[in-house]
Amino acid sequence: MHINIGKLIKQEMIRQGLKPGELAERIWVTRTNIYSIFERKSIDTELLERICDALHTNFFTPMAEEISLKVGDNNPSDALDEVNMLSFQVMGDDLQYFAPEDIEEGFQEVKRLVISLSVNGSGFDEIIDLPQELFPLLTYAYDCAMEGPLKGKSDEEIDSLLFPWLEIHHPKLTSAIKDAVNEMLLERIAADVEGEYRDYIDYNEPTSIDEWFSLGKNDIQYFIDDLHERIQTVKRPLRWKPKSI
């Protein structure tokens, strides 16, 4: 296809005056993923549906029109029927799809992690999203630590030893937690107007609309003691189902 779907999405987002972070929140992805979407020439249909909903724009139509032009000379009767049917199905569902009550039709249960942080000596309690398949591994690793090397340790010792132990024995797991924390901190900094985060966290501001905030050198410590109480289950609309990493 000649259509650059990522470019179309970016142009419409800018036309509506939205920021990448706002679009990311609407479709339940990280801001980093938004910039990846802008570079795509093709896109998963489920993700595109969520983007259509977020921007109230039918991006399926220009793709269907291009397919129509592309296949029209080869087999107009059969191919165009299929393209027109796709276009009809998408456009026919628009009013129902964009209706606010439509997202109430079904929900999924999603787990989230409450994590305590010490960033340059300042404490923060935050909630982060992780790929859902990591939660069984996280609870298993935690239970192993508590029944093994950390058994009988004081609360203070567990605070200081648990995450370093996980880093040694489950580096991929702790890397996912760190990535989620970094992404969360960047979102907080971007939306911070009271200085709650900007006054304590070292960061670099973007120099253009195509760039994003970046973290500087920060001393970050992670605390997930009493893990089973830190895992929350929330409900989200099925249509906004986030992708696993």
Side-chain angles (χ1 to χ4, degrees):
M1 285 188 180
H2 297 294
I3 289 179
N4 187 322
I5 187 63
K7 185 176 180 180
L8 289 179
I9 293 169
K10 181 178 181 180
Q11 289 174 341
E12 181 59 26
M13 180 197 73
I14 294 174
R15 188 191 71 79
Q16 295 187 21
L18 289 178
K19 295 180 179 180
E22 293 174 310
L23 179 57
E25 290 181 0
R26 292 186 183 186
I27 63 174
W28 294 100
V29 302
T30 65
R31 186 185 174 94
T32 301
N33 286 338
I34 287 294
Y35 286 110
S36 173
I37 290 171
F38 291 161
E39 300 298 323
R40 297 181 189 178
K41 294 184 179 179
S42 61
I43 191 170
D44 176 79
T45 55
E46 181 184 350
L47 175 58
L48 186 57
E49 283 183 349
R50 300 207 307 270
I51 295 172
C52 290
D53 192 11
L55 295 177
H56 299 282
T57 302
N58 188 346
F59 292 104
F60 287 93
T61 299
M63 292 193 296
E65 291 174 349
E66 179 164 323
I67 293 174
S68 175
L69 293 174
K70 186 174 182 179
V71 303
D73 294 336
N74 297 328
N75 194 349
S77 58
D78 296 335
L80 282 177
D81 283 346
E82 294 179 4
V83 172
N84 289 335
M85 180 59 69
L86 170 64
S87 180
F88 172 79
Q89 290 173 344
V90 173
M91 296 181 69
D93 286 344
D94 278 353
L95 291 177
Q96 176 185 358
Y97 182 71
F98 292 139
E101 61 270 20
D102 189 44
I103 64 173
E104 302 293 335
E105 290 181 353
F107 290 87
Q108 59 164 339
E109 290 190 344
V110 179
K111 295 185 183 300
R112 306 185 74 193
L113 177 65
V114 180
I115 190 167
S116 296
L117 304 169
S118 173
V119 185
N120 302 326
S122 297
F124 302 92
D125 288 325
E126 293 289 353
I127 301 177
I128 59 174
D129 290 307
L130 294 173
Q132 296 299 290
E133 61 268 21
L134 290 186
F135 280 96
L137 173 60
L138 179 59
T139 54
Y140 170 77
Y142 172 80
D143 290 340
C144 287
M146 297 305 295
E147 292 298 322
L150 300 186
K151 188 174 183 178
K153 300 290 185 181
S154 66
D155 292 343
E156 291 77 12
E157 289 175 317
I158 293 174
D159 277 347
S160 62
L161 297 175
L162 177 57
F163 202 83
W165 182 87
L166 286 174
E167 286 185 295
I168 295 173
H169 297 279
H170 298 277
K172 291 184 178 180
L173 178 59
T174 53
S175 178
I177 294 175
K178 288 182 176 181
D179 289 344
V181 166
N182 288 347
E183 193 71 36
M184 177 274 300
L185 290 177
L186 292 175
E187 294 288 350
R188 296 288 188 272
I189 289 170
D192 188 12
V193 294
E194 301 295 335
E196 180 181 358
Y197 293 86
R198 296 191 183 192
D199 289 347
Y200 301 100
I201 300 175
D202 182 27
Y203 67 95
N204 301 306
E205 292 188 356
T207 58
S208 71
I209 192 173
D210 294 322
E211 294 183 0
W212 182 233
F213 291 87
S214 61
L215 292 178
K217 295 182 179 180
N218 293 283
D219 176 22
I220 304 178
Q221 299 178 42
Y222 310 80
F223 305 102
I224 53 173
D225 55 303
D226 296 325
L227 177 70
H228 293 284
E229 297 180 7
R230 289 178 175 272
I231 297 177
Q232 296 183 347
T233 300
V234 298
K235 289 185 176 181
R236 287 180 176 167
L238 284 171
R239 180 149 292 163
W240 292 347
K241 184 177 181 180
K243 297 288 186 179
S244 297
I245 296 177

